[in-house]
Amino acid sequence: MRSLGDAPVDPFDGRAFRERSLIQFLRSWFSQLEIRDLSPLLNNLRLVKSPHKIAVIKKATEFTGMALTECMRSTKPEIMKYELNAGAQYIYI
């Protein structure tokens, strides 16, 4: 894992990543502030799912499967991408 704020600069725009910018901003205003990387703690919290969250994930997976099945059934040479998307969106709504 990388250290907090050590991400390289984006080669496309030359600006620092948001984390590094936030750290610099906080240090400029609150020089005594201790800044620590909470990624390990947050990663451990993400490992545990509540029964409700598991049920929501299962339901979302079911909807996704139904939407993909509908798209596959509706696919024809002349059908446009937006038409397939409309069929998938109908399943989700």
Side-chain angles (χ1 to χ4, degrees):
M1 257 198 247
R2 64 183 176 79
S3 298
L4 185 63
D6 71 352
V9 172
D10 184 345
F12 296 108
D13 67 10
R15 294 180 297 167
F17 281 106
R18 292 174 62 192
E19 290 176 3
R20 184 178 292 163
S21 297
L22 177 61
I23 290 169
Q24 290 170 350
F25 173 78
L26 290 173
R27 285 193 174 135
S28 71
W29 280 88
F30 308 101
S31 60
Q32 302 300 319
L33 186 68
E34 177 185 354
I35 299 173
R36 297 188 319 188
D37 184 3
L38 297 178
S39 297
L41 175 67
L42 294 174
N43 289 338
N44 286 335
L45 290 174
R46 289 185 183 113
L47 293 174
V48 180
K49 303 280 188 255
S50 68
H52 174 71
K53 183 71 170 185
I54 292 170
V56 168
I57 292 170
K58 285 181 179 179
K59 190 55 106 173
T61 304
E62 288 177 32
F63 284 136
T64 300
M66 291 187 321
L68 288 172
T69 301
E70 182 59 31
C71 285
M72 287 187 280
R73 283 191 305 126
S74 302
T75 301
K76 299 174 191 165
E78 67 275 2
I79 197 163
M80 303 297 287
K81 184 178 175 182
Y82 71 88
E83 293 173 298
L84 289 174
N85 186 43
Q89 292 299 320
Y90 177 77
I91 299 294
Y92 286 115
I93 294 172

